[in-house]
Amino acid sequence: MERPRILVVGGGFAGVECARRLERKLVPGEADIAIVAPFSYELYLPLLPQVAAGVLTPQSVAVSLRRMLHRTRIIPGGAIGVDPKAKVCIVRKITDEVVAEHYDYLVLAPGSITRSFDIPGLTDHARGMKTLAEAAFVRDHVISQLDLADAATDRDERISRLQFVVVGGGYAGTETAACLQRVTTSAVKRYPRLNPNLIKWHLIDIAPKLMPELGDKLGATALDVLRKRGIEVSLGVSVAEVGEESVTFTDGRVIPSRTLIWTAGVAASPLIATLDAETVRGRVATTAEMRVPQFDGVFALGDAAAVPDLAKGDGSVCPPTAQHAQRQGKVAADNVVASLRSQPLKEYFHKDLGLVVDLGGADAVSKPMGVELTGVAAQGVARGYHLMALRTNVAKVRVMTNWLLNATAGDDFVRTGFQRGKPATLKDFEYTDSYLSKDEIRAHTAALTAKQ
């Protein structure tokens, strides 16, 4: 008798945690487990700003899938369409070969992409901070601006290269601006021709508060830390237009700048749009057990799923955070196993354990279990949480070693070559044009199934 096939889509927090749990819960030979992942690692997203700042190496936050998964078949590629009626997932491998993966149980955890808006010049000139390649590229780009400004003979060019704009006052944007500002501030030691007064960082957000999830007190503390460092924080402001050498704000200001880092939120993976399923703000609607009710054997979780937040109630859904994604992965795996064994499913219920924001150096704000912390104590909690959340001892050691090295030796200003050729922008890293239409999915399903 053929064994049931469980297919997990996504190599992020939710998908990997689900596959790990399935391996632990299922008896060897009880079912075949496969995971579709474009890369051979789980990216630890919360530490990307430190990769961009050069505090951590890219490998430190790329946690090897093959160290975590032992009985799961890893399919190197991305899901580009799902046919729930035929129980087929269309996958484009990293070789561009398109294959049909049949499943009995499907776990959708494709994650999210950078949310963008119809702003003139945005897709052509903005850089994102959602992938490892983007973080490495941003680092190269910022250092290249320092190098070019140092060599420039024209004052206007120098000014535009030394002004940096980060859009998004959430965790990603705030930490990115804070970490990179520390790097450019320390650059004056290595670039004696640069006037430190010309180096300027702008952090803007359309919201009236910085990181409102922290609460008024901690949010105000973080804002005070940033402003004391010289970061100009503008709230209630967004971007009206982006040019090659300037950024125009909605309040009319025109900032001479060749760097716009866009971290203004996320949107569910376009894979969700290939399903005929109910959505909530683009995320597929699920039950509290993370089932997609329209389709047999389909579960969804993480950033791409609107999972009811039973802890909060009031019909709200869980926010797209790593904390929820990891815990949903465990419960989703339990429910897949329960479905396989004809046992009752359980609802996902999780209270947020708190928030940590690393502002670089000794600066941080944290709120573990509702306790508000700042400074060194908050930094200790933030870094302790990250070490706990990393899934392999190798990753933990790499991160700790990098932290120690940076604390003792300081920053280096080395470009690794990502600046060669055409500058990469938002659309170049997230492959948002790879997904199939519903008609294409049906055609691929029929053709590939017949071929296989």
Side-chain angles (χ1 to χ4, degrees), residues 195-240:
N195 180 349
N197 294 323
L198 293 182
I199 301 175
K200 189 72 176 178
W201 282 85
H202 299 264
L203 176 62
I204 70 171
D205 196 290
I206 195 65
K209 295 179 181 180
L210 190 71
M211 295 181 292
E213 300 90 341
L214 285 173
D216 290 343
K217 183 179 177 181
L218 285 184
T221 300
L223 182 60
D224 187 53
V225 167
L226 298 181
R227 284 179 169 162
K228 282 181 177 177
R229 285 199 199 165
I231 298 176
E232 185 169 320
V233 182
S234 302
L235 300 173
V237 176
S238 189
V239 173

Side-chain angles (χ1 to χ4, degrees), residues 219-443:
T221 300
L223 182 60
D224 187 53
V225 167
L226 298 181
R227 284 179 169 162
K228 282 181 177 177
R229 285 199 199 165
I231 298 176
E232 185 169 320
V233 182
S234 302
L235 300 173
V237 176
S238 189
V239 173
E241 185 175 356
V242 188
E244 190 173 344
E245 299 180 12
S246 66
V247 180
T248 303
F249 293 172
T250 52
D251 61 6
R253 283 179 290 165
V254 179
I255 307 299
S257 173
R258 304 185 189 218
T259 305
L260 176 68
I261 302 173
W262 183 266
T263 66
V266 297
S269 165
L271 179 66
I272 299 305
T274 72
L275 297 165
D276 281 319
E278 181 184 346
T279 58
V280 178
R281 295 182 180 178
R283 301 164 71 187
V284 62
T286 76
T287 66
E289 298 86 4
M290 286 172 284
R291 290 187 305 104
V292 180
Q294 295 95 323
F295 308 121
D296 176 51
V298 179
F299 296 79
L301 59 156
D303 290 5
V307 178
D309 191 343
L310 300 182
K312 185 179 291 185
D314 300 326
S316 58
V317 298
C318 297
T321 65
Q323 205 175 122
H324 277 294
Q326 286 183 325
R327 287 160 179 78
Q328 287 173 3
K330 293 178 180 179
V331 176
D334 291 346
N335 284 342
V336 170
V337 174
S339 297
L340 187 64
R341 297 173 180 171
S342 300
Q343 296 171 348
L345 310 187
K346 62 181 179 180
E347 297 179 333
Y348 173 73
F349 182 94
H350 169 66
K351 289 186 177 180
D352 208 304
L353 298 179
L355 308 166
V356 295
V357 182
D358 189 334
L359 300 175
D363 293 325
V365 291
S366 299
K367 196 175 180 180
M369 307 301 290
V371 179
E372 297 184 344
L373 300 172
T374 61
V376 175
Q379 184 65 279
V381 169
R383 297 204 165 182
Y385 171 79
H386 291 316
L387 288 175
M388 179 185 69
L390 288 164
R391 289 308 188 204
T392 69
N393 290 330
V394 171
K396 297 177 198 288
V397 171
R398 283 201 179 108
V399 167
M400 286 191 291
T401 302
N402 284 183
W403 280 338
L404 179 62
L405 182 62
N406 183 260
T408 54
D411 298 306
D412 277 323
F413 301 92
V414 177
R415 286 178 284 115
T416 54
F418 286 94
Q419 274 290 296
R420 293 182 63 84
K422 179 181 177 292
T425 53
L426 287 175
K427 61 185 178 182
D428 296 315
F429 286 109
E430 300 189 34
Y431 311 104
T432 54
D433 57 352
S434 299
Y435 298 88
L436 302 177
S437 68
K438 293 180 178 63
D439 288 340
E440 289 173 323
I441 291 170
R442 284 192 287 269

Side-chain angles (χ1 to χ4, degrees), residues 147-218:
D147 288 343
L148 291 165
D150 185 65
T153 56
D154 180 76
R155 178 177 170 80
D156 289 341
E157 178 190 348
R158 183 172 293 173
I159 289 173
S160 69
R161 294 196 183 280
L162 294 178
Q163 293 216 62
F164 306 91
V165 179
V166 179
V167 182
Y171 301 110
T174 301
E175 290 188 339
T176 296
C179 290
L180 284 170
Q181 186 270 342
R182 289 188 78 251
V183 172
T184 55
T185 298
S186 68
V188 294
K189 304 172 189 175
R190 310 294 180 189
Y191 295 84
R193 296 183 68 252
L194 292 185
N195 180 349
N197 294 323
L198 293 182
I199 301 175
K200 189 72 176 178
W201 282 85
H202 299 264
L203 176 62
I204 70 171
D205 196 290
I206 195 65
K209 295 179 181 180
L210 190 71
M211 295 181 292
E213 300 90 341
L214 285 173
D216 290 343
K217 183 179 177 181
L218 285 184

Side-chain angles (χ1 to χ4, degrees), residues 90-147:
I90 308 298
V91 176
R92 177 174 283 123
K93 292 184 177 180
I94 57 175
T95 58
D96 276 342
E97 178 190 2
V98 177
V99 298
E101 289 291 332
H102 295 263
Y103 65 83
D104 295 293
Y105 298 94
L106 177 66
V107 180
L108 290 172
S112 56
I113 60 172
T114 300
R115 181 180 62 185
S116 61
F117 299 94
D118 189 18
I119 297 171
L122 179 66
T123 57
D124 294 323
H125 302 295
R127 275 86 185 174
M129 274 289 293
K130 192 78 172 62
T131 67
L132 191 58
E134 284 175 313
F137 183 89
V138 164
R139 173 167 175 77
D140 262 24
H141 173 79
V142 169
I143 294 174
S144 74
Q145 297 312 298
L146 297 176
D147 288 343

Side-chain angles (χ1 to χ4, degrees), residues 72-86:
T72 300
R73 180 168 61 102
I74 300 173
I75 304 169
I80 57 175
V82 178
D83 186 342
K85 293 182 179 178

